[in-house]
Amino acid sequence: MKVKEKSEVNTICYHCGEDVVERHYHIEDKEFCCKGCQTVYEIINKSDLCSYYDLEHSPGINQKQEVRKGKFDFLDDAQIIKKLTHFQDNTHQHVIFYLPQMHCASCIWILEHLDKIDSGIIKSQVNFVKKEVTVIYNYHETSLKKVAEALTIIGYEPHISLNDVSSSKVKKYDTTTIVKIGIAGFCFGNIMMLSFPEYFSLAKSDDIGLKTWFSYLNLALSLPVFFYSASEFFISGYKGLRQKFLNIDAPIALAVLITFGRSVYEILSGTGAGYLDSMSGIVFFMLIGRYFQNRTYQTISFDRDFKSYFPLGVSVINADGTEKQISVSELKVGDRIKIHNDEIVPADAILFLGKATIDYSFVTGESLPVEKSIGEIVYAGGKQTSGAIELEVVKEVSQSYLTQLWNNEAFKENKKEVKVSFIHRISRYFTYALFSVAITAAIYWSVNDPSKIWGAVTAVLIVACPCALLLSATFTNGNMIRILNKYKLYVKNASVIEHMSEIDTIAFDKTGTITEQGKSEITFKGMELSSYQSQLIRTLANQSNHPLSKSVVSFLPFTKMLNVKNYKEFKGFGTSATINEHFLKMGSSEFVLGKDSHQLASGSRVYMSIDEEFVGYFIVKNAYREGLENIVSSLGNQFDLKILSGDNSSEEGYLKNIFGNKSKMLFEQKPEDKLNFIKRLQNNNKRVLMIGDGLNDAGALKQSDVGIAISDDTNNFSPACDAVLSGKNFTLLKELINYCRRQKTIIFASFVLSILYNFVGLFFAVQGDLEPVIAAILMPISSISIVLLTTGLSSFYEIKLKRLRPDKSHY
């Protein structure tokens, strides 16, 4: 039957923008949805920061869920303060907090005016891209705990995890490549300027001394390029040869060496000006291309572990009943801990007191929380969803189930097959061809004019080095990474693009990957409910913290709260209560009807009766991502599709309607089961793309040829992976894969163009008459042409992505 839709609410909260259901909170003409939002407004108003509301409409964070008192007591611990502090002197401390709530200009404005909320704060500066705020405060006037509390009371509770104190301090940005590029560019520009006399053949007797002087200046300028800027090509090439592998850097290093060596010989012997401009130009352009390619999205971590998911502090109950906040790493077996609503259980523990409803979706993939009784074990990584509970630790954090799982060798080691990039394979054949041309030229001139052997051989190696191939690859990959970032697919490195182009099998996790996290689809089957009956049912559902009850509450419209008596909850069955003198029951068919229902349906059923009369049932299903059917249909024509889920098989029938009978579906899969399944596929010569979102997918993501983590907020926790894809762009998955497949086409096209330039250069080189001006013209024209071609083609192939993008306003 159709339930009356939720009535339209015209009033929204002045602070956060959510609907105001109960109008109990207001200041003058400003309405608030809860006491928390009203309190935050009062603080902002008192601090004279109300411009916060002028920059964006209702920019605040909803405050319905109050932050408990004493949550940040662990920040008074000297050791924790030391580990979180980035800088300290006699007065000031610097700390960086990650604030996932940051989302608009108003956020930036208020976070950079924290000194008006806490006078002990000297300065605060926002990094909006990383969603971080750097706070400089006087630790004699305020404390780290008070700074965290100040952020929390205005709606920006800092995310502080165990990883923040377990890992080393922030890694400094490596400027080595930038310095190398700067030196190479400076020297290249000046060498070209000083080579103009040679380019224009200024051979008058009064110019000879000037030309010689310029040649020696060029030689001096080339030294830092050869010995410093080009060093990485020599190191990489040497390492490859030691392993009996000819990578692309080896012939490039040889070309640079020969160009430099011949130039030194010509300048010192007075027989020529050399080709130092070409040598420095080659190094300069190749370093730019390599830098462009190696840029990754710095705000995303692709190598997170479970410590990023764990909290830093936990409440320990002392023998006298008082609570104390300590670091999670200090937990010992036998400690009594208190876990509050929506907090993570940090260690394996026995439930001692309270009602535990544990959400394991991120760890095991189960979509519904699990209820635990007193005396049962609660494993680390689960999230408590129904109030505060007390537990007794039975294993230290380092020995917990989750830690042991993560430390399993299969999860720690990268088992991916070490693949040689097709760039290295092409360069190998190119090098063979190059040496063949050089040897042929040497043989020819040994017969006809031995004096030209040295000039011809070295000229061939100078003109036709595989630099163009490297430039083609680096600029193509760099531009493709930029475009993929634009569509919110953030790849770890350029090799991911190549591996993505070779996949033939895609394995999907279910919960949080093809379903939307925290959302559900609800329908009601039964008699037509009146508004009053709907309110009776909603009132009963509102008494329970069970996720299915919460789904029913969100589905039914609110009018007013009714009087509840004799509320009872029967674990695993349902709830009952007398509401306005009506007796209601809600739960399983066995609890409500007295018998099991064997009717097939995807999703979970919640049965209802009023005054012992059955009125119907709610069907609560996972909300699948928008457009899933179209995505699967298009991918199924091109790839072999699989489903690996830690959840039960209740929705298998629905998924088969989408994926078809050919797609293998495995349910109730443990993390190691997923990993082993990926291995079996690879043993059958399958190239596997694994798409997941939780810790239970970490091993499979690492084992697969490409592992993509789906995240509805790319700044939030996601497991170690090769790439992160925004959930909003899940509909673009096929086109993003196909776009990666264009990589080889673009590289081959630009390589063909560079070969044409090489033919021109080789025409002069094999004759032993390669003039510096010809090399100086060919080198930059070839490099610039490659850059323009790779940029143009990668942008051309983006057209289909532009047409299909979900929200054009975001690009």
Side-chain angles (χ1 to χ4, degrees), residues 237-267:
Y238 174 70
K239 287 180 178 179
L241 292 174
R242 283 191 63 183
Q243 297 175 3
K244 299 181 179 179
F245 171 67
L246 183 65
N247 61 26
I248 193 171
D249 286 341
I252 286 174
L254 177 63
V256 171
L257 177 63
I258 289 176
T259 307
F260 180 76
R262 175 169 170 174
S263 299
V264 171
Y265 169 77
E266 288 186 0
I267 291 171

Side-chain angles (χ1 to χ4, degrees), residues 452-467:
K452 288 190 173 184
I453 294 177
W454 167 251
V457 171
T458 54
V460 167
L461 296 176
I462 290 170
V463 168
C465 84
C467 308

Side-chain angles (χ1 to χ4, degrees), residues 182-198:
I183 290 174
F186 172 79
C187 295
F188 169 54
N190 282 281
I191 289 173
M192 286 200 71
M193 182 182 68
L194 294 171
S195 298
F196 271 98
E198 185 65 35

Side-chain angles (χ1 to χ4, degrees), residues 500 503 506 639 689 733-741:
M500 187 109 78
I503 64 164
I506 303 177
F639 305 100
L689 165 63
L733 181 60
K734 181 187 175 184
E735 292 309 321
L736 289 169
I737 295 173
N738 287 338
Y739 182 71
C740 291
R741 291 188 162 191

Side-chain angles (χ1 to χ4, degrees), residues 510 514-516 521 621-628 651 654-655 658:
K510 182 172 81 80
I514 60 175
T515 67
E516 296 212 39
E521 293 180 0
K621 299 190 299 184
N622 284 305
Y624 287 88
R625 292 194 182 273
E626 184 179 351
L628 179 63
E651 298 185 11
Y654 175 77
L655 289 171
I658 297 177

Side-chain angles (χ1 to χ4, degrees), residues 749-762:
S750 55
F751 186 49
V752 168
L753 176 65
S754 69
I755 290 293
L756 296 178
Y757 284 110
N758 280 344
F759 282 151
V760 176
L762 285 171

Side-chain angles (χ1 to χ4, degrees), residues 300-529:
I300 294 178
S301 173
F302 295 95
D303 300 300
R304 293 166 169 146
D305 64 12
F306 70 95
K307 292 178 184 176
S308 302
Y309 182 57
F310 271 16
L312 175 56
V314 63
S315 296
V316 173
I317 302 174
N318 298 319
D320 59 1
T322 59
E323 291 185 32
K324 179 185 177 183
Q325 284 277 329
I326 67 168
S327 171
V328 165
S329 59
E330 296 176 11
L331 276 179
K332 303 184 296 295
V333 174
D335 281 348
R336 182 82 62 81
I337 61 175
K338 191 170 187 177
I339 302 297
H340 297 79
N341 189 53
D342 273 346
E343 290 187 347
I344 305 296
V345 179
D348 295 350
I350 298 292
L351 180 62
F352 190 83
L353 183 66
K355 177 188 172 185
T357 307
I358 308 297
D359 179 3
Y360 283 116
S361 60
F362 200 72
V363 179
T364 65
E366 296 173 272
S367 59
L368 290 177
V370 178
E371 293 186 353
K372 294 287 185 179
S373 300
I374 291 175
E376 287 189 281
I377 190 167
V378 178
Y379 291 106
K383 180 188 286 187
Q384 164 65 353
T385 62
S386 57
I389 56 175
E390 292 183 15
L391 306 104
E392 186 171 304
V393 175
V394 294
K395 288 184 180 179
E396 294 181 9
V397 175
S398 61
Q399 300 298 319
S400 69
Y401 164 76
L402 184 60
T403 309
Q404 290 179 349
L405 174 65
W406 195 272
N407 290 335
N408 186 300
E409 288 303 313
F411 286 69
K412 287 174 65 179
E413 296 179 12
N414 192 343
K415 299 291 184 179
K416 292 179 183 177
E417 176 189 351
V418 178
K419 292 180 60 182
V420 177
S421 171
F422 78 98
I423 297 295
H424 296 301
R425 294 197 297 270
I426 294 174
S427 72
R428 187 182 308 161
Y429 296 120
F430 182 88
T431 303
Y432 296 154
L434 177 61
F435 278 121
S436 299
V437 172
I439 291 170
T440 302
I443 294 173
Y444 174 82
W445 288 116
S446 66
V447 175
N448 293 281
D449 187 354
S451 64
K452 288 190 173 184
I453 294 177
W454 167 251
V457 171
T458 54
V460 167
L461 296 176
I462 290 170
V463 168
C465 84
C467 308
L469 179 58
L470 181 62
L471 283 175
S472 302
T474 54
F475 277 99
T476 297
N477 290 333
N479 203 44
M480 291 187 82
I481 288 173
R482 178 186 65 82
I483 290 172
L484 291 173
N485 285 353
K486 195 162 108 177
Y487 293 90
K488 295 182 172 56
L489 175 62
Y490 308 105
V491 298
K492 187 175 182 178
N493 51 48
S495 65
V496 175
I497 299 176
E498 184 177 338
H499 294 161
M500 187 109 78
S501 69
E502 298 171 349
I503 64 164
D504 53 35
T505 303
I506 303 177
F508 293 93
D509 169 52
K510 182 172 81 80
T511 306
T513 301
I514 60 175
T515 67
E516 296 212 39
Q517 196 68 264
K519 293 184 180 180
S520 57
E521 293 180 0
I522 310 168
T523 55
F524 181 79
K525 301 290 185 181
M527 68 167 58
E528 186 172 353
L529 297 177

